[in-house]
Amino acid sequence: ALLCALLWAAAAAAGGGPGDNPAPGAFGHVYRGAVNISAERVYAFAYRSEPGQVDAVRVYVNSSSENLRYPILFVVRQQKGVLSWQVPLIFRGLYQRTYNYQEVSRTLCPSEPTPETRPSDQIIFVDVASMAPFNIAYELLVTKLENFQLETNKAFNFTASPSQPQYFLYKFPQDVDSVIINVVSDAAYPCSVVSVQDIVCPVYDLDHNVEFNGVYQSMTKQAAITVQRKDFPGEQFFVVFVIKPEDYACGGSVPSIHGNVNRTWNLQRTKNLQVTIVPSIKKSVYVQAMFFSFLSFLSFYLGSVVVAFVHYIRVQRKASPGRLSPEHGSGMMTSSHPISASTPEGSSYGAIDESSSSGGRQRSSPEHRPPAGSDTDSSVEEESDFDTMPEIESDKNIIRTKVFLYLSDLSRKDRRIVSKKYKIYFWNIITIAVFYALPVIQLVITYQTVVNVTGNQDICYYNFLCAHPLGVLSAFNNILSNVGHMMLGFLFLLIVLRRDILHRRAMEMKDIYTLDYGIPKHFGLFYAMGIALMMEGVLSACYHVCPNYSNFQFDTSFMYMIAGLCMLKLYQTRHPDINASAYSAYASFAVVISLAVLGVVFGKNDMWFWVIFSMIHVLASLALSTQIYYMGRFKIDGSDSDMGIFRRAVMVLYTDCIQQCSRPMYMDRMVLLIVGNLVNWSFAIFGLVYRPRDFASYILGIFICNLLLYLAFYIIMKLRSSEKLLPIPMFCIVATAVVWAAALYFFFQTLSSWEETPAESREKNRPCILLGFFDDHDVWHFLSAAALFFSFLVLLTLDDDLDTVRRDKIPVF
């Protein structure tokens, strides 16, 4: 009776003509009628709201008219808001295409629960009107939603379309501070949008306005949004589901520019969805994950201390009887008998006799060597002061073109000069790191700010099923997992520093084993490798602040440098005098990074880029092979005429490829270079044919394959030369192989891909696998950091067995 009185009072208040008299409406009843310019209809729906209860009402309308000039206008008036739309409802797509829907269904903004202890009466007016001079039929249905509020850990299924969006209410339970909204669908298309909005009217639930408020994602088969209680003061929010009129935003086909301008779709683009809201992890899990990350890598520090202590004890035991001094040792080189530059009998082609005074510069005896501490003296002359005389060049040509080379042949330069040359690698990479990292950090902070302000979660390609926010960061776990690169990089610097200090002390004591035995110790490249590993962690963390197409090179730039530095170090081990300078090496890395950026931009569809890149790749492989084969002594005199240059090239090819085709002069080098060129040419052909979309990873694969090939060749040649592997390098080699195999397994577990649309990338998202906090890619970060650390240790310790072998007995390969 009270509701009837309320309706009659509303009708009396409205007054006026027949169109102004509201007809009492009943929920769940279909009303049919017709309107025109002189006849409109008003319906009044009254209901009673219980205390603390949220009531949601949904309005369904339908009209068979497709007349866009005279649409039917529906206006819904509530106590605190107005909602209106027209039928046909028009959506605009790409190229200004329009899509018309005759069936529209909208959920009204629910009334807020009143603090009153008694029920309250509510009323809704629905106005139906048109400016058409003729009658237009319509249908109207108003219902109360029974399942408007979503429950925790309970799946809910529903259907939506572009003209019939859906949204639901969720309230945080008392003991939950963060939840994950999981949405799945069996069909990829039609493309949809999932939005989380605050409890504010109106609710933005159409394609053209869903991005105006809150946080949103595009979706094909899967979406996930993490929501924190602190972001919603009212401790409740709406989950909105909108179906887009076109699929191109989700990776579907792009509509043609030609064709009909208007299309009537009705309910052809319906999508079945299932939403489940589950609690996210608690704060204690964050603490456990941080402890796990730091303690895991602190164990490497502990292991290093134990190994260093054991090594110290062994050295002390060996030193207790005293190492034989040059005066006592029958097999030791005394200061009056320094190691000559000549090689053992039977391989003395091009060697310089020890008594000769004109065949090149003699190695100085230990007494006449400069003090070890003078490495860093600023008064040390540059290499050019020692190495520009014509007879010295002639001596190089004789020495480096011998069939059998020994380390003494390629370690003839002043140790101070060479050591200073390699230290430039360290200082240059620090400069590069500072200038590279600062703009990167600034840029990713801007990216994260844009994501937080706009709510557009399509900007960053996270694994949303395992993205745990902390502060302003959306995926703290992906950043935390990079701590291993920084901690192990710093540990490697400490290990190198210890070796450097011990080496300096031995040099100050004029230890004959340090001066003339073993591989010459130059630590500049090792320091550069340690810095590169730390910077890889920093830049990978920056990339994972907001991973996307625009900043992927941040994650790979120092990977290229690490691979390049490892190859340079491996080559420098037995070629200390002829390794590349830091300036040329870093310039080469800059070219590679530039090619990587160009490949990301142009490498998807442009055939011309792949042709040019493949040509550069093949020519660079041939040029580098020539330099390695001839130990840097292959030169074409630029002063000759053009015909002279070609004549010189033809003569070299004729001599080395035709006359000696049965057996090259440098067989081992030739085998390595043939295999290396075949691998690189295969990469070039593969890229030209298949044109992989992930160009950055393609280049990284080239670097890694070349590094592994060279390392395998080095170890094989080392064993062929009757050298041995000590327990520590053997353990590091095995650990490197095992950890790399495990790391690569997790690397290929693709969890997202910026090569695709954000919606397609989310189809690859997976839940966490470690401690409920880290995903597969985080495990890749952990394992790859350990694998790189062990790889560096392999290079650092691989030739420790040669510390007591004379340099004129150590072969070069």
Side-chain angles (χ1 to χ4, degrees), residues 146 174 197 221 238 418 453-454 464 482 508 587 664 744 805:
E146 301 295 336
Q174 290 298 324
Q197 301 179 19
K221 289 186 175 182
F238 290 135
V418 178
V453 171
T454 64
F464 288 91
N482 285 285
E508 292 172 357
L744 291 174
V805 179

Side-chain angles (χ1 to χ4, degrees), residues 129-289:
S130 176
M131 299 297 291
F134 49 85
N135 286 336
I136 300 179
Y138 68 88
E139 290 184 358
L140 171 67
L141 173 64
V142 180
T143 59
K144 296 182 67 174
L145 296 180
E146 301 295 336
N147 299 303
F148 181 69
Q149 185 168 334
L150 299 175
E151 299 180 15
T152 307
N153 292 319
K154 185 176 181 180
F156 180 71
N157 297 278
F158 60 95
T159 302
S161 73
S163 63
Q164 301 188 35
Q166 299 268 15
Y167 64 87
F168 304 96
L169 175 70
Y170 180 80
K171 294 182 178 181
F172 280 98
Q174 290 298 324
D175 57 342
V176 175
D177 294 324
S178 177
V179 295
I180 300 177
I181 304 170
N182 293 324
V183 187
V184 295
S185 176
D186 294 333
Y189 302 109
C191 177
S192 55
V193 175
V194 181
S195 173
V196 176
Q197 301 179 19
D198 201 359
I199 306 296
V200 177
C201 295
V203 178
Y204 298 102
D205 61 348
L206 292 177
D207 176 60
H208 66 272
N209 62 16
V210 68
E211 301 175 0
F212 290 177
N213 187 24
V215 178
Y216 61 91
Q217 295 179 1
S218 58
M219 171 189 164
T220 52
K221 289 186 175 182
Q222 181 173 258
I225 300 179
T226 299
V227 183
Q228 301 183 81
R229 181 195 292 265
K230 66 180 183 63
D231 296 329
F232 294 93
E235 300 184 352
Q236 55 186 351
F237 55 83
F238 290 135
V239 186
V240 184
F241 304 90
V242 174
I243 309 300
K244 299 184 75 66
E246 293 177 341
D247 295 329
Y248 70 91
C250 293
S253 59
V254 177
S256 173
I257 301 178
H258 308 288
N260 296 329
V261 177
N262 299 322
R263 290 189 176 181
T264 300
W265 287 77
N266 292 323
L267 296 180
Q268 298 174 11
R269 290 180 61 81
T270 60
K271 188 166 187 173
N272 297 319
L273 299 164
Q274 181 185 83
V275 57
T276 308
I277 301 181
V278 298
S280 185
I281 59 174
K282 298 182 179 296
K283 293 181 180 179
S284 60
V285 180
Y286 282 83
V287 177
Q288 294 173 9

Side-chain angles (χ1 to χ4, degrees), residues 566-683:
C566 288
M567 284 189 280
L568 288 171
K569 182 59 194 176
L570 203 55
Y571 187 77
Q572 178 240 332
T573 301
R574 308 221 179 197
H575 309 79
D577 286 357
I578 59 175
N579 207 6
S581 69
Y583 306 112
S584 58
Y586 288 129
S588 301
F589 296 153
V591 171
V592 171
I593 293 173
S594 300
L595 286 174
V597 174
L598 292 175
V600 171
V601 176
F602 299 107
K604 290 184 177 181
N605 301 310
D606 296 323
M607 186 67 183
W608 62 266
F609 172 82
W610 284 99
V611 172
I612 294 175
F613 174 78
S614 298
M615 293 175 60
I616 294 174
H617 187 186
V618 171
L619 292 176
S621 300
L622 291 174
L624 185 61
S625 300
T626 303
Q627 288 295 104
I628 293 175
Y629 186 73
Y630 290 102
M631 294 290 181
R633 305 315 302 158
F634 179 80
K635 290 185 178 179
I636 296 178
D637 191 355
S639 62
D640 292 343
S641 63
D642 292 341
M643 293 304 295
I645 293 176
F646 287 110
R647 189 181 303 113
R648 166 66 173 157
V650 171
M651 288 300 296
V652 170
L653 291 173
Y654 175 77
T655 302
D656 289 354
C657 299
I658 299 178
Q659 282 189 339
Q660 301 181 15
C661 187
S662 59
R663 181 175 178 83
M665 182 178 294
Y666 315 112
M667 177 58 73
D668 293 331
R669 272 178 267 166
M670 178 61 75
V671 171
L672 168 66
L673 295 174
I674 288 176
V675 176
N677 276 275
L678 289 176
V679 170
N680 281 279
W681 295 354
S682 299
F683 268 104

Side-chain angles (χ1 to χ4, degrees), residues 316-384:
Q316 291 299 317
R317 288 180 179 176
K318 288 184 179 181
S320 56
R323 195 187 242 183
L324 289 177
S325 64
E327 291 79 7
H328 295 94
S330 58
M332 306 297 293
M333 292 297 298
T334 65
S335 59
S336 60
H337 295 85
I339 299 174
S340 68
S342 61
T343 53
E345 184 179 356
S347 55
S348 60
Y349 172 78
I352 310 303
D353 185 71
E354 186 175 3
S355 61
S356 173
S357 60
S358 61
R361 179 164 53 91
Q362 291 289 326
R363 290 175 59 87
S364 60
S365 63
E367 290 89 5
H368 297 89
R369 291 178 183 272
S374 63
D375 292 2
T376 58
D377 189 355
S378 60
S379 64
V380 175
E381 298 91 343
E382 294 297 329
E383 184 180 354
S384 58

Side-chain angles (χ1 to χ4, degrees), residues 41-54:
R41 297 288 183 268
V42 180
Y43 298 88
F45 296 86
Y47 64 94
R48 175 166 294 183
S49 179
E50 298 295 332
Q53 178 181 337
V54 178

